[in-house]
Amino acid sequence: MTEGIQNALNSAGPQADNIAGLWWLMFVVCTIVFVLVMIALLLAIKKRTREPQFDSTPILEPQPDQERRRRNVVVTCVAITAIVLFVFLIASFSAGRSMSAQTASKTGLTIDVTGFQWWWEIRYQDVDASNIFTTANEIHIPVGVPVTLNLRANDVIHSFWVPNLAGKKDLIPGKANTLWIQANKPGVYRGQCAEYCGLQHAHMAFWVVAESQEQFNAWRQNQTQTSVTPTTDSQKRGQQVFLSSTCVMCHTINGTPAASNVGPNLTHIASRNTIAAATLSNTRDHLYQWVKDSQSVKPGNRMPQHNLAEADFQALLDYLQSLK
């Protein structure tokens, strides 16, 4: 179930709470200022319409009392403006400082996120090497736990942004940035690359799945396992098709000779909700369309067209859909 897809005002974590609070403060204050300015404008128009016919004779010596009142109005407005801007400055600084605070010491969960044109590699780190695993375009996190994200870019500048959970942070080639996120309630939150990175920038999305600690532990335990061994004749044939085609040159399936890192890790592809960086739901028809001719879905991506016999395609799909 999705929760306020890409809605920064429907915050689900402390980072987003800071941003939403700052936005509402600015919205309320600016609304009040706008209303007051409109009221002053209307009063000035009303007063002007009641005055005698306009006299073009310049006033060389204005009345002292009138000048004093005008001066006081100007000084008061300038002072109020300065106070408002100072409040915005303090609120903005406080929100920024809260969001940039490091929380690595509070949690052992660290995730490396690498941006590619146009998908996301997600690698879960652990002190035990056997618990390290790699997935793509889908981040699972336990509710209520701060998670440290190490952000890197493989090719061009990307930007990691999950509006419901945190502000955006750029991924710059040759530089490692850090962001922390936390979900205070279960949900599925959409993220997006927020820095134009090429032809398919708009189709470079991902999902953050916030779930209970028990559900997260079960998911993580499954992800650390090697790929499911094919059981049916069709699945076995599909595995051979995968290993004997160009698929093996770009993808990894743990437990098989396929070990390339050009494209997403497919060890548990059938457990993901979407494919092609959240462009398509993970159904058999969409998987067939993506494998057969991904250029018709995301023109410019690095996956070539596959001209397999129909029987081989169906066997390959059976195999891929068994990888849960």
Side-chain angles (χ1 to χ4, degrees), residues 110-313:
T110 300
I111 304 174
D112 293 343
V113 179
T114 304
F116 294 82
Q117 291 178 308
W118 292 273
W119 62 282
W120 305 87
E121 181 184 80
I122 315 299
R123 184 175 178 84
Y124 284 73
Q125 297 292 345
D126 196 272
V127 293
D128 185 350
S130 64
N131 290 330
I132 297 175
F133 64 91
T134 302
T135 183
N137 306 315
E138 192 170 294
I139 303 174
H140 287 243
I141 61 174
V143 172
V145 176
V147 180
T148 300
L149 303 177
N150 297 322
L151 307 175
R152 297 178 176 84
N154 181 69
D155 33 46
V156 299
I157 297 176
H158 301 284
S159 190
F160 184 94
W161 187 38
V162 193
N164 296 83
L165 299 179
K168 80 181 188 76
K169 182 65 73 75
D170 287 347
L171 290 70
I172 302 172
K175 178 179 174 60
N177 279 340
T178 302
L179 175 71
W180 72 272
I181 62 173
Q182 177 180 320
N184 289 336
K185 59 183 179 180
V188 182
Y189 307 101
R190 191 177 189 274
Q192 176 71 43
C193 178
E195 182 74 27
Y196 181 73
C197 55
L199 180 62
Q200 293 300 324
H201 161 71
H203 291 153
M204 186 175 170
F206 59 95
W207 293 96
V208 176
V209 181
E211 52 200 357
S212 67
Q213 187 68 56
E214 293 75 18
Q215 290 175 313
F216 172 76
N217 290 341
W219 174 84
R220 184 172 187 171
Q221 179 62 31
N222 179 68
Q223 295 294 311
T224 59
Q225 306 301 310
T226 57
S227 61
V228 177
T229 302
T231 55
T232 68
D233 291 340
S234 180
Q235 291 173 4
K236 293 177 181 178
R237 180 181 177 182
Q239 185 184 62
Q240 291 303 313
V241 171
F242 183 92
L243 295 176
S244 60
S245 67
T246 55
C247 300
V248 74
M249 299 174 64
C250 296
H251 297 284
T252 292
I253 296 181
N254 296 340
T256 75
S260 178
N261 295 318
V262 176
N265 187 303
L266 303 181
T267 304
H268 299 286
I269 183 175
S271 68
R272 300 170 195 163
N273 295 314
T274 63
I275 57 175
T279 303
L280 300 172
S281 56
N282 193 0
T283 65
R284 188 179 183 91
D285 288 342
H286 286 160
L287 190 59
Y288 177 88
Q289 180 185 5
W290 179 249
V291 175
K292 185 177 180 63
D293 185 12
S294 66
Q295 300 302 319
S296 65
V297 179
K298 291 178 71 170
N301 80 88
R302 297 182 179 181
M303 186 162 150
Q305 188 178 45
H306 293 89
N307 298 313
L308 300 173
E310 187 62 26
D312 288 340
F313 257 122

Side-chain angles (χ1 to χ4, degrees), residues 59 61-74:
I59 301 176
E61 296 183 2
Q63 296 295 325
D65 291 343
Q66 188 179 47
E67 281 294 286
R68 185 165 48 254
R69 288 196 300 271
R70 290 175 177 175
R71 184 183 65 248
N72 291 339
V73 169
V74 172

